[in-house]
Amino acid sequence: MAGIPKRALIVLGLLIGVVLLTAFGGDRFGGDSEQASSAECRFTVTADMLNVRSGPELAAPVVDQLPEGEEVAASGETQGGFRKLDDERWASEEFLDAVSGSNCR
């Protein structure tokens, strides 16, 4: 019987498995994803005390304060000189320095 050798079938099966994992589940195994890249965007606070506001404007209420030197995760979204930290939390870009090696836009 002239067929495909068993070893070739095993190698082919492993290659197909790797391709499927990469295509459909890569973010679980260290692949790139939107969520992973946004988590890598980090900043260090440079002000003595940085007000975190509920919106991207000075008139927005202060909802938190961050001390100098604190490292904080942020999104790539900016508006009017403010950077979005997370839902309803914004801080002045003027007092945020990107952490070396972080993935920030």
Side-chain angles (χ1 to χ4, degrees):
M1 179 169 138
I4 299 174
K6 191 182 276 188
R7 179 175 262 173
L9 287 174
I10 292 171
V11 170
L12 182 61
L14 287 172
L15 287 173
I16 290 171
V18 168
V19 168
L20 290 174
L21 280 175
T22 302
F24 298 108
D27 58 329
R28 293 187 201 145
F29 300 98
D32 291 335
S33 73
E34 269 311 302
Q35 203 168 27
S37 64
S38 66
E40 294 174 17
C41 187
R42 303 204 52 88
F43 292 86
T44 301
V45 175
T46 62
D48 290 338
M49 189 64 69
L50 179 61
N51 288 330
V52 177
R53 300 182 179 277
S54 63
E57 59 185 0
L58 287 175
V62 174
V63 295
D64 196 4
Q65 290 186 319
L66 302 173
E68 182 177 14
E70 182 159 331
E71 193 172 302
V72 62
S75 77
E77 185 178 346
T78 60
Q79 188 175 1
F82 286 82
R83 181 170 292 273
K84 187 173 186 178
L85 303 181
D86 54 36
D87 289 340
E88 299 183 35
R89 289 172 43 95
W90 296 77
S92 175
E93 284 191 290
E94 179 181 356
F95 303 108
L96 294 171
D97 277 346
V99 172
S100 178
S102 67
N103 184 21
C104 302
R105 297 178 255 158

